[in-house]
């Protein structure tokens, strides 16, 4: 599975951005897709995940209610709409894929088999 992330940028507090992650490769449409993020000198942390068909998603407490995931199966692309951005959302955001949908909150990054390149999100105060 190959993952191509895009959509990062710089915004002010309260602004919005939409990240995209295009998946390709055999059976990539059957994988759960999600996001982790990593701020400077911090560990990579879970952000959100969505099922292969886009029917279910869940979020880290820190972004719940502000971030929304969606998935376009026809394009095999997943989106993360981010609203109400805060300076603490500043990080490199990484797209990831795994067979399993459940358990991403507690998963080690080593347990996630597929990763895309990161895209930088910067939120200024």
């Amino acid at each position: 599975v190959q993952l191509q992330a895009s959509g990062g940028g710089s915004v002010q507090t309260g602004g919005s951005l939409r990240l995209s992650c295009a998946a390709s490769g055999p059976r990539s449409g059957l994988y759960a897709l999600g996001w982790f993020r990593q701020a400077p000198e911090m560990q990579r942390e879970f952000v959100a995940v969505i099922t292969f068909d886009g029917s279910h998603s869940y979020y880290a407490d820190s972004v719940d209610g502000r971030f929304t995931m969606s998935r376009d199966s026809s394009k095999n692309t997943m989106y993360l709409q981010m609203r109400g951005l805060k300076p603490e959302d500043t990080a490199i955001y990484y797209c990831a894929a795994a067979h399993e949908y459940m358990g991403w909150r507690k998963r080690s990054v080593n347990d996630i088999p597929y990763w895309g390149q990161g895209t930088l999100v910067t939120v200024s105060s």
Side-chain angles (χ1 to χ4, degrees), residues 36-109:
F36 282 72
R37 67 186 182 185
Q38 189 165 16
E41 302 183 2
M42 300 291 286
Q43 289 189 335
R44 197 171 295 191
E45 64 175 7
F46 166 75
V47 176
V49 62
I50 193 166
T51 52
F52 75 97
D53 62 356
S55 62
H56 295 83
S57 58
Y58 62 90
Y59 305 85
D61 291 344
S62 57
V63 307
D64 199 7
R66 299 187 297 121
F67 291 10
T68 304
M69 292 196 72
S70 60
R71 187 163 183 168
D72 185 338
S73 296
S74 67
K75 298 180 180 178
N76 209 7
T77 299
M78 170 266 286
Y79 304 97
L80 181 69
Q81 179 67 52
M82 304 185 294
R83 297 183 175 91
L85 284 162
K86 306 174 182 180
E88 51 264 43
D89 294 318
T90 295
I92 298 174
Y93 284 69
Y94 294 91
C95 178
H99 278 296
E100 300 82 7
Y101 165 70
M102 299 304 295
W104 281 52
R105 282 196 185 97
K106 296 183 178 181
R107 277 193 161 188
S108 163
V109 295

Side-chain angles (χ1 to χ4, degrees), residues 2-25:
Q2 292 79 47
L3 303 171
Q4 181 69 41
S6 61
S10 297
V11 297
Q12 292 188 329
T13 297
S16 299
L17 281 174
R18 190 178 78 158
L19 304 184
S20 300
C21 176
S24 61

